[in-house]
Amino acid sequence: MASKSSKINERNSLLKLLRSFTTLPISSLSGLVIWLFIILFYVFVISGIFTIETDYDWLQLLQDDYVKQVILFSFGQAILSALLSVFFGLLFARAFFYQRFIAKPFILKLFSLTFVLPALVVIFGITGIYGHNGWLVKLTALLGISWQPHIYGLTGILIAHLFFNIPLAARMFLQTFQAIPTQQRQLAAQLNLRGWQFIRLIELPYLRQQLLPVFSLIFMLCFTSFAIVLTLGGGPKYTTLEVAIYQAILFEFDLAKAALFALLQALFCCVLFAVGSLWQKSPQALLHSKNLWLAKQSSAVQIWQVFYISCILLFISLPLIHIIFSAFQAESLWQIWQQPQLWQALAYSLTIAPLSAILALFFAIALLLLARRLHYLSYSSLSQAILNSGMLVLAIPVLVISVGLFIRLREMDFSNYHLFALVVLCNGLTAMPFVLQVLNLPMHNNMQYYEKLSQSLAIRGWNRFYLIEWHNLKSPLKYAFALACAISLGDFTAIALFGNQDFSSLPYLLYQQLGSYRSDEGAVTALILLIVCVLIFLLIERIKKDD
């Protein structure tokens, strides 16, 4: 009897769910279509990898020394990068939090800028500082010291990862220091708790809650790092799974090996994404210092903190300064600006970025309309599943998607229009998780606050969006669009697989210039990318300020 009643309840729940779908408004039904499209697209892409006929014994291939080395290095460099980023980021956050100076808002904006900078722009700046002919070599030569750095390999990969992830970790830990109540700080001062005792009893309980989320996020970013490892890896010894996929297709045209690496990458990323989501928290952090009470630091601690802050700022700012300096020092600067390849790549980049952002917005809004409606109807689990489908690109990287598309469509005669559409689609999927994060809360709040009002006044569709929801969504939509543009502009993953001489972008052109040692041309390309990203970043900051 119990089993029969449970089956009846399941059947009734299913009928209720199907009835709910039939009564959804058109705007929410569009989300259902987009959701089904995304699921079918991923099935189409991933199943394409399994269609490769191969003479390989995949189990035997997994025991190959090269494959083992690739897997071990993928995990090893990600663990090391995440550990160093968390360590240095935590030290900087603590020093930055306890020091008071005018330039704090500027430093926070500089750290936020690193999030939207293309990896290849930073790589150009890093090689100019730490490379064989970089500023450090010239400085040591002036001091009479003979020293040759090894920028290509694990060292260069770690430096680039630290550039991006120290600011990210620092901003996340700043939120933790901000969360410590003033009353606890005052009580600790009354009890004369200083130094390690203060850290252990007051700060560490809060920091412990944030250590795993920060580590897991940075580990995931480093594990899926592509452009950095591809450019600074320096050889087979320093190859990750994504780079191995790229090399297997473009250099060896071994689709079977590429398919194996792609499946391994997707499997590892799905597991890491599932584990990391248990601890994941928002990386955004704001520092408000008006109502803070901080105990006075000793002179020795203040000197150390100022010194450490200065070192990290030099580490972050010197590559950017080198880009600007080297671009204006380039020989034949006027001839470089007149090259048609540069303007063609700029045109493609400035077209791909907004179109990808619009696509990401369209997908994200459609999914959110459906998810919030289901949540309002008390189908919370299904609503969360729909939102998670928009995050699939974090679990299945874009390069794996690109490989699946490459295998599925390899018989097609690709034109630049086809390549353009593929890159826009891949870049749009890359930016979609960030758009979902920006729009999720305001769209959910609109549903909670205005749904009954809209029903009572019979306001639906476009009229509801324009008359009721637009006021609260205007700033988040602008912010999400600008952020998606910045992410798409600097993305190198899809264009690396589909790009060619006639179809390029600024990151792809910069990669070609770095690979052929055309440093003067690369300096100009890097400067253009830097300027465009800074302009987009300033737009983002303006939108956040107006919100």
Side-chain angles (χ1 to χ4, degrees), residues 69-84:
Q69 180 182 333
V70 169
I71 295 174
L72 287 175
F73 183 75
S74 298
F75 280 95
Q77 61 85 22
I79 291 173
L80 190 56
S81 298
L83 286 174
L84 291 174

Side-chain angles (χ1 to χ4, degrees), residues 258-331:
L260 170 66
F261 286 135
L263 289 175
L264 287 175
Q265 179 78 353
L267 175 63
F268 289 142
C269 286
C270 285
V271 173
L272 291 172
F273 178 74
V275 173
S277 62
L278 300 176
W279 303 306
Q280 209 65 270
K281 293 184 180 180
S282 175
Q284 297 181 353
L286 296 175
L287 184 64
H288 301 289
S289 57
K290 290 184 179 180
N291 299 320
L292 283 177
W293 183 91
L294 301 177
K296 186 177 180 181
Q297 303 283 314
S298 66
S299 298
V301 172
Q302 288 185 20
I303 292 172
W304 153 250
Q305 289 179 345
V306 171
F307 172 76
Y308 185 74
I309 291 172
S310 302
C311 290
I312 296 296
L313 288 179
L314 279 175
F315 176 73
I316 299 297
S317 59
L318 279 178
L320 305 180
I321 294 172
H322 170 75
I323 294 170
I324 300 171
F325 181 80
S326 60
F328 288 102
Q329 291 293 318
E331 298 179 3

Side-chain angles (χ1 to χ4, degrees), residues 182-196:
T182 297
Q183 293 81 1
Q184 290 191 17
R185 298 184 181 277
Q186 292 173 337
L187 180 61
Q190 291 176 358
L191 297 175
N192 199 28
L193 293 178
R194 297 182 180 276
W196 169 246

Side-chain angles (χ1 to χ4, degrees), residues 504-520:
S504 181
S505 67
L506 286 176
Y508 187 73
L509 178 62
L510 180 57
Y511 172 71
Q512 292 177 319
Q513 292 166 342
L514 290 174
S516 56
Y517 301 101
R518 291 179 286 163
S519 57
D520 286 349

Side-chain angles (χ1 to χ4, degrees), residues 168 172 212-222 280-281 283:
L168 175 61
M172 294 179 75
L212 280 177
V214 177
F215 177 85
S216 63
L217 173 62
I218 295 177
F219 177 85
M220 192 72 178
L221 292 174
C222 296
Q280 209 65 270
K281 293 184 180 180

